[in-house]
Protein backbone atom coordinates (compact mmCIF):
# COMPACT_ATOMS: atom_id res chain seq x y z
CA UNK A 1 0.00 0.00 0.00
CA UNK A 2 1.33 3.43 -0.97
CA UNK A 3 0.08 6.80 0.27
CA UNK A 4 0.49 9.76 -2.07
CA UNK A 5 0.07 13.40 -1.14
CA UNK A 6 -2.93 14.92 -2.96
CA UNK A 7 -1.02 18.08 -3.88
CA UNK A 8 1.10 16.30 -6.54
CA UNK A 9 0.64 17.91 -9.93
CA UNK A 10 -0.63 14.62 -11.39
CA UNK A 11 -3.83 15.12 -9.42
CA UNK A 12 -6.07 17.62 -11.17
CA UNK A 13 -8.17 19.75 -8.84
CA UNK A 14 -11.33 21.57 -9.72
CA UNK A 15 -13.30 23.92 -7.51
CA UNK A 16 -12.26 25.50 -4.23
CA UNK A 17 -9.47 23.77 -2.34
CA UNK A 18 -7.07 25.13 0.27
CA UNK A 19 -3.80 23.53 1.27
CA UNK A 20 -2.80 23.11 4.92
CA UNK A 21 0.74 23.54 6.23
CA UNK A 22 1.01 19.74 6.43
CA UNK A 23 0.16 19.37 2.71
CA UNK A 24 -3.38 18.05 2.98
CA UNK A 25 -6.16 19.63 0.91
CA UNK A 26 -9.43 20.96 2.31
CA UNK A 27 -12.67 21.41 0.38
CA UNK A 28 -15.72 22.98 1.97
CA UNK A 29 -17.64 23.87 -1.17
CA UNK A 30 -19.85 21.41 -3.00
CA UNK A 31 -18.54 20.30 -6.41
CA UNK A 32 -14.85 20.54 -5.43
CA UNK A 33 -13.22 17.54 -7.09
CA UNK A 34 -9.91 15.83 -7.70
CA UNK A 35 -9.30 13.63 -10.76
CA UNK A 36 -6.54 11.37 -12.02
CA UNK A 37 -5.75 8.34 -14.15
CA UNK A 38 -5.20 5.22 -12.08
CA UNK A 39 -3.93 1.74 -12.93
CA UNK A 40 -4.25 0.35 -9.40
CA UNK A 41 -6.83 -2.30 -8.45
CA UNK A 42 -7.70 -0.61 -5.17
CA UNK A 43 -8.19 2.96 -4.08
CA UNK A 44 -8.70 4.53 -0.67
CA UNK A 45 -8.42 8.05 0.63
CA UNK A 46 -7.19 9.16 4.03
CA UNK A 47 -9.39 11.89 5.48
CA UNK A 48 -8.03 14.25 8.11
CA UNK A 49 -9.47 15.53 11.39
CA UNK A 50 -11.08 18.58 9.78
CA UNK A 51 -13.40 16.26 7.81
CA UNK A 52 -16.95 16.64 9.06
CA UNK A 53 -20.34 15.73 7.77
CA UNK A 54 -22.96 18.37 8.53
CA UNK A 55 -26.50 17.73 7.48
CA UNK A 56 -28.91 20.48 8.46
CA UNK A 57 -31.97 18.30 7.82
CA UNK A 58 -30.98 15.34 10.03
CA UNK A 59 -30.32 11.81 8.90
CA UNK A 60 -27.65 10.82 6.43
CA UNK A 61 -26.95 12.20 3.02
CA UNK A 62 -24.35 11.58 0.37
CA UNK A 63 -21.12 13.42 1.09
CA UNK A 64 -18.80 12.09 -1.62
CA UNK A 65 -19.27 10.67 -5.09
CA UNK A 66 -16.50 8.71 -6.81
CA UNK A 67 -16.87 8.21 -10.56
CA UNK A 68 -14.68 5.60 -12.23
CA UNK A 69 -14.64 5.31 -16.02
CA UNK A 70 -12.53 4.33 -19.01
CA UNK A 71 -10.00 7.13 -19.67
CA UNK A 72 -10.23 6.42 -23.40
CA UNK A 73 -14.00 6.82 -23.36
CA UNK A 74 -13.78 9.82 -25.64
CA UNK A 75 -15.64 12.23 -23.39
CA UNK A 76 -14.44 15.53 -22.03
CA UNK A 77 -13.59 15.35 -18.32
CA UNK A 78 -15.82 18.37 -17.58
CA UNK A 79 -18.72 17.13 -19.70
CA UNK A 80 -19.06 13.55 -18.48
CA UNK A 81 -22.00 14.50 -16.25
CA UNK A 82 -24.05 15.06 -19.41
CA UNK A 83 -23.34 11.63 -20.82
CA UNK A 84 -22.29 8.69 -18.66
CA UNK A 85 -20.24 6.21 -20.71
CA UNK A 86 -21.05 2.50 -20.54
CA UNK A 87 -19.00 0.73 -17.89
CA UNK A 88 -18.84 3.75 -15.57
CA UNK A 89 -19.11 3.09 -11.84
CA UNK A 90 -20.72 5.73 -9.68
CA UNK A 91 -19.97 5.14 -6.01
CA UNK A 92 -21.61 7.19 -3.26
CA UNK A 93 -20.43 7.64 0.32
CA UNK A 94 -22.74 9.07 3.01
CA UNK A 95 -21.60 10.57 6.31
CA UNK A 96 -17.83 10.38 5.76
CA UNK A 97 -15.60 10.72 8.81
CA UNK A 98 -11.86 11.15 9.43
CA UNK A 99 -9.78 8.04 8.77
CA UNK A 100 -9.20 5.68 5.87
CA UNK A 101 -12.12 5.39 3.44
CA UNK A 102 -11.98 2.54 0.91
CA UNK A 103 -13.44 3.66 -2.41
CA UNK A 104 -12.99 0.36 -4.24
CA UNK A 105 -11.04 -2.89 -4.18
CA UNK A 106 -11.15 -5.02 -7.31
CA UNK A 107 -8.39 -7.65 -7.07
CA UNK A 108 -6.81 -8.61 -10.38
CA UNK A 109 -8.02 -5.39 -12.02
CA UNK A 110 -5.03 -3.31 -13.05
CA UNK A 111 -6.78 -1.54 -15.93
CA UNK A 112 -6.38 2.20 -16.32
CA UNK A 113 -9.32 4.21 -15.00
CA UNK A 114 -10.28 7.84 -14.90
CA UNK A 115 -11.20 8.57 -11.27
CA UNK A 116 -12.98 11.69 -10.07
CA UNK A 117 -13.75 12.22 -6.37
CA UNK A 118 -16.27 14.99 -5.72
CA UNK A 119 -17.58 16.61 -2.54
CA UNK A 120 -21.33 16.90 -3.12
CA UNK A 121 -22.74 17.84 0.27
CA UNK A 122 -22.95 21.62 0.56
CA UNK A 123 -22.61 21.60 4.36
CA UNK A 124 -19.65 19.23 4.79
CA UNK A 125 -15.89 19.72 4.98
CA UNK A 126 -13.42 17.28 3.41
CA UNK A 127 -9.76 17.16 4.44
CA UNK A 128 -7.90 14.96 1.98
CA UNK A 129 -4.62 13.83 3.55
CA UNK A 130 -3.56 11.17 1.04
CA UNK A 131 -4.56 9.00 -1.90
CA UNK A 132 -3.88 5.34 -1.05
CA UNK A 133 -3.19 2.81 -3.83
CA UNK A 134 -1.90 -0.76 -3.96
CA UNK A 135 0.87 -0.01 -6.45
CA UNK A 136 2.52 3.04 -7.94
CA UNK A 137 4.60 1.80 -10.91
CA UNK A 138 2.82 3.45 -13.84
CA UNK A 139 -0.15 4.33 -11.70
CA UNK A 140 -1.04 7.73 -13.08
CA UNK A 141 -0.39 9.97 -16.02
CA UNK A 142 -1.01 13.62 -16.62
CA UNK A 143 -4.50 14.75 -17.53
CA UNK A 144 -4.77 17.32 -20.28
CA UNK A 145 -5.56 20.76 -18.93
Amino acid sequence: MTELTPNLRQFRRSGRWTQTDSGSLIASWASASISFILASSSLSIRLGPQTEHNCAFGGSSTTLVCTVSDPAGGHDLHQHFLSIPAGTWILTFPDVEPGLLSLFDRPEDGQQKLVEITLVNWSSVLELVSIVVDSVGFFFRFLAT
Side-chain angles (χ1 to χ4, degrees):
M1 202 162 32
T2 302
E3 295 199 32
L4 301 164
T5 180
N7 58 14
L8 294 173
R9 62 185 200 163
Q10 289 88 338
F11 296 113
R12 182 175 173 188
R13 292 181 284 194
S14 178
R16 295 183 183 184
W17 292 89
T18 56
Q19 186 171 324
T20 67
D21 291 339
S22 65
S24 64
L25 299 175
I26 297 178
S28 56
W29 292 82
S31 79
S33 66
I34 189 165
S35 9
F36 48 96
I37 302 291
L38 174 71
S40 175
S41 61
S42 68
L43 176 64
S44 299
I45 54 177
R46 185 166 308 281
L47 302 175
Q50 293 187 57
T51 297
E52 61 180 358
H53 174 75
N54 298 311
C55 185
F57 303 110
S60 66
S61 63
T62 299
T63 305
L64 287 179
V65 170
C66 176
T67 305
V68 183
S69 59
D70 179 356
H75 60 277
D76 183 288
L77 181 62
H78 296 290
Q79 299 301 319
H80 74 275
F81 63 90
L82 299 174
S83 172
I84 299 173
T88 297
W89 317 332
I90 299 175
L91 311 166
T92 60
F93 300 90
D95 304 342
V96 297
E97 297 179 359
L100 189 64
L101 175 63
S102 176
L103 301 181
F104 63 82
D105 187 9
R106 300 177 59 96
E108 309 303 319
D109 173 20
Q111 301 297 316
Q112 283 195 348
K113 313 159 192 52
L114 171 61
V115 176
E116 184 170 37
I117 302 166
T118 306
L119 175 66
V120 294
N121 186 302
W122 61 271
S123 62
S124 294
V125 175
L126 177 73
E127 180 181 4
L128 185 58
V129 174
S130 62
I131 309 284
V132 184
V133 296
D134 61 1
S135 63
V136 172
F138 55 94
F139 121 90
F140 55 168
R141 64 181 167 86
F142 292 100
L143 289 170
T145 50

